[in-house]
Amino acid sequence: MGLFSKIKSMFKSYDEEETTEEETVEEEAEEEKTTEEETVEEEAEEEEAEEEETTEEEAEEEEAEEETVEDEIEEEEAVEDETEEVEAEEEIVENIIIDNKKEENKKKKGFLFSRKKKEEERKSVKIYEKGLSKTRQGFVSKLANLTNKYSKITDEYFEELEEILIMADIGVKTVMDFIDRLRERVNHENITNPSDLKEIIVDELFIIYVNDDVLSSKILFNESDLSVILFIGVNGVGKTTTIGKIANKLKDEGKKVLLVGADTFRAGAVMQLQEWSEKVEVGFFGKEDSDPASVVYDGICKAKDEKYDVVLVDTAGRLQNKVNLMKELEKINRVIDSLVDGGACETLLVIDATTGQNGISQAKSFKEITNITGIVLTKLDGTAKGGIVLAIKEEVGLPVKFIGLGETKDDLQTFDIEKYIYGLFKDMM
């Protein structure tokens, strides 16, 4: 099964699973109702039986009173023995009921956790669908028109396909490599009908991104010491907002987070980060008009003293002066290395997806002056050129860690290549 069919099957099944889960919940509710009714009936029968037993015991006691004192003592001892036996039996029954309830609760918790996880996954897929709608409407509709326009695969078909891919901001180099791979498969597999290329296009785009690499969009954390994550990027790309949203995600995961405002160059940057810390209810440290490295030093000391788990550092992004920025980042990294075992565990570059190929240029420039471990693409929902995700990986060789697909906190999503491909090609599936 090709990737196209696999992704189609995986994500299209969510609606069916949702319907099945709703039916399951209804069935369980009916079963619980029936069980409760049966339990009430059983309790009523037990009460009647106990009343009858009590009446018989009273009659026996009246007869026993007429007998000798010795007989009374013997009967009292017998009654005590019977009472102890009944109490022992009742205790066993109660323990069985308690054990059964514990088992039922355990199963329910497991079911609820599984259902919650699936609901979160479905929600994430919907965010990808909605966030990539602009790219999908332009990109996929043009592909569909191209398929309808040509009855056979020709050089003209490849030329128009090439233009469509470049317009989606996948990047000239990436598109040229892609077209070469596509031509090779068409010739090797004797494909003549353009409609047969739909699945192959999806598969090849996926292969371009993965490229035999083991990609991980997960944030790396320092297992033995404080985790420090640096954020870099030019002004206006949404860096501070991204830091706030990631801080909120980490807080929801149970981590104690401190934001450090080391962008002392841009007016208002420190105050903006402090506002985000208050908004998502995490810690903050920052000083305006101070040396960025000294701010980072004091911030990390605060984090260590107050037992924080993660420090997110906002840095300046004046790319127009590479030499000064490089020196500043080197100084910050030396400070982190002196205080934390292993230094910063991540350096994430934030790029505005709406800037297109300019974003690629930024990534290349920043890569020249510091060690970047991953990319955060913001405002992907605001562009019809969502193919920049593939271009960044191909041209810069860095994995995308997060993508911004809207304004809310939940719209910053951990990047998932399969959800991304689904969001792009949903209308073709």
Side-chain angles (χ1 to χ4, degrees), residues 25-89:
V25 171
E26 289 176 1
E27 288 173 3
E28 286 184 349
E30 289 178 3
E31 287 177 5
E32 286 180 3
K33 185 178 178 182
T34 304
T35 304
E36 287 175 3
E37 290 174 353
E38 290 175 353
T39 303
V40 170
E41 289 177 3
E42 288 174 0
E43 288 176 353
E45 290 175 0
E46 287 176 2
E47 286 177 1
E48 288 178 6
E50 286 176 1
E51 288 175 1
E52 289 176 1
E53 288 177 3
T54 303
T55 305
E56 291 175 1
E57 287 175 1
E58 288 175 353
E60 289 175 359
E61 287 175 2
E62 288 177 0
E63 291 176 1
E65 287 175 0
E66 297 174 357
E67 296 178 355
T68 62
V69 174
E70 292 179 359
D71 291 338
E72 287 179 357
I73 293 171
E74 290 177 0
E75 287 178 3
E76 285 175 2
E77 290 175 351
V79 170
E80 287 177 2
D81 292 340
E82 288 177 3
T83 302
E84 288 176 359
E85 290 176 3
V86 170
E87 288 176 352
E89 289 175 0

Side-chain angles (χ1 to χ4, degrees), residues 318-334:
R318 47 186 188 279
L319 192 55
Q320 63 272 22
N321 193 331
K322 287 186 184 180
V323 175
N324 285 354
L325 181 58
M326 181 171 65
K327 289 180 178 178
E328 185 176 292
L329 291 173
E330 284 177 350
K331 191 175 178 182
I332 288 173
N333 275 304
R334 283 199 302 271

Side-chain angles (χ1 to χ4, degrees), residues 56-261:
E56 291 175 1
E57 287 175 1
E58 288 175 353
E60 289 175 359
E61 287 175 2
E62 288 177 0
E63 291 176 1
E65 287 175 0
E66 297 174 357
E67 296 178 355
T68 62
V69 174
E70 292 179 359
D71 291 338
E72 287 179 357
I73 293 171
E74 290 177 0
E75 287 178 3
E76 285 175 2
E77 290 175 351
V79 170
E80 287 177 2
D81 292 340
E82 288 177 3
T83 302
E84 288 176 359
E85 290 176 3
V86 170
E87 288 176 352
E89 289 175 0
E90 288 176 350
E91 188 176 345
I92 292 170
V93 172
E94 285 177 4
N95 288 335
I96 291 171
I97 292 171
I98 290 170
D99 289 341
N100 288 339
K101 284 183 177 179
K102 283 181 179 178
E103 189 64 28
E104 286 175 10
N105 289 335
K106 189 176 179 182
K107 288 180 180 178
K108 283 180 182 177
K109 284 179 181 178
F111 173 74
L112 290 172
F113 177 78
S114 176
R115 190 168 66 192
K116 183 181 178 182
K117 194 173 180 181
K118 286 182 179 178
E119 286 172 358
E120 289 175 352
E121 191 71 5
R122 273 194 291 268
K123 184 180 178 183
S124 177
V125 171
K126 293 295 182 186
I127 291 172
Y128 267 82
E129 279 184 42
K130 183 180 177 182
L132 291 168
S133 60
K134 282 189 178 181
T135 300
R136 184 170 65 250
Q137 287 163 10
F139 182 49
V140 175
S141 62
K142 287 177 182 177
L143 279 179
N145 292 336
L146 184 64
T147 301
N148 294 330
K149 182 178 177 180
Y150 289 92
S151 58
K152 290 184 179 180
I153 298 172
T154 62
D155 288 339
E156 289 77 13
Y157 169 86
F158 279 116
E159 287 173 6
E160 288 198 37
L161 176 60
E162 185 179 299
E163 185 178 344
I164 290 170
L165 295 171
I166 290 173
M167 290 300 293
D169 234 344
I170 293 177
V172 176
K173 181 180 180 299
T174 308
V175 170
M176 298 304 291
D177 292 343
F178 172 79
I179 292 296
D180 288 343
R181 293 171 67 112
L182 203 59
R183 284 180 182 273
E184 187 178 337
R185 285 194 64 173
V186 166
N187 293 331
H188 181 71
E189 299 174 26
N190 296 319
I191 301 169
T192 58
N193 192 338
S195 62
D196 295 334
L197 279 182
K198 287 194 303 182
E199 293 194 26
I200 294 175
I201 287 172
V202 176
D203 287 351
E204 289 297 332
L205 287 173
F206 177 82
I207 290 168
I208 282 176
Y209 186 83
V210 176
N211 196 26
D212 297 325
D213 292 335
V214 179
L215 295 172
S216 175
S217 57
K218 292 182 179 179
I219 290 289
L220 300 175
F221 293 105
N222 193 334
E223 298 297 332
S224 60
D225 204 342
L226 180 70
S227 294
V228 179
I229 302 173
L230 286 177
F231 289 83
I232 59 178
V234 300
N235 295 335
V237 296
K239 182 156 49 79
T240 307
T241 301
T242 295
I243 294 171
K245 290 180 178 180
I246 290 177
N248 186 68
K249 279 182 175 292
L250 296 177
K251 187 196 74 171
D252 289 345
E253 292 172 9
K255 297 186 184 297
K256 188 177 180 182
V257 183
L258 179 71
L259 306 187
V260 173

Side-chain angles (χ1 to χ4, degrees), residues 243-406:
I243 294 171
K245 290 180 178 180
I246 290 177
N248 186 68
K249 279 182 175 292
L250 296 177
K251 187 196 74 171
D252 289 345
E253 292 172 9
K255 297 186 184 297
K256 188 177 180 182
V257 183
L258 179 71
L259 306 187
V260 173
D263 182 359
T264 59
F265 180 77
R266 180 171 68 89
V270 174
M271 185 179 294
Q272 186 185 1
L273 191 67
Q274 184 174 7
E275 289 172 356
W276 262 103
S277 73
E278 294 168 357
K279 185 176 181 179
V280 299
E281 298 178 337
V282 297
F284 171 79
F285 180 83
K287 293 177 184 177
E288 293 183 336
D289 302 322
S290 300
D291 176 61
S294 69
V295 173
V296 172
Y297 180 92
D298 292 340
I300 291 177
C301 289
K302 173 184 171 71
K304 282 180 167 286
D305 290 342
E306 299 179 16
K307 308 298 182 186
Y308 280 88
D309 300 310
V310 185
V311 173
L312 307 183
V313 182
D314 186 14
T315 65
R318 47 186 188 279
L319 192 55
Q320 63 272 22
N321 193 331
K322 287 186 184 180
V323 175
N324 285 354
L325 181 58
M326 181 171 65
K327 289 180 178 178
E328 185 176 292
L329 291 173
E330 284 177 350
K331 191 175 178 182
I332 288 173
N333 275 304
R334 283 199 302 271
V335 166
I336 297 170
D337 290 342
S338 69
L339 295 172
V340 179
D341 291 340
C345 50
E346 292 270 16
T347 298
L348 301 180
L349 173 62
V350 183
I351 296 175
D352 181 345
T354 62
T355 62
Q357 290 303 302
N358 188 37
I360 303 289
S361 299
Q362 290 172 24
K364 290 178 179 178
S365 296
F366 271 103
K367 195 177 179 183
E368 290 173 1
I369 62 176
T370 191
N371 179 37
I372 303 170
T373 58
I375 301 288
V376 180
L377 265 179
T378 63
K379 309 175 190 178
L380 199 60
D381 60 309
T383 179
K385 298 183 176 183
I388 189 175
V389 171
L390 301 173
I392 283 176
K393 173 60 176 60
E394 180 73 2
E395 295 189 32
V396 189
L398 293 169
V400 176
K401 298 267 184 172
F402 292 97
I403 56 175
L405 295 168

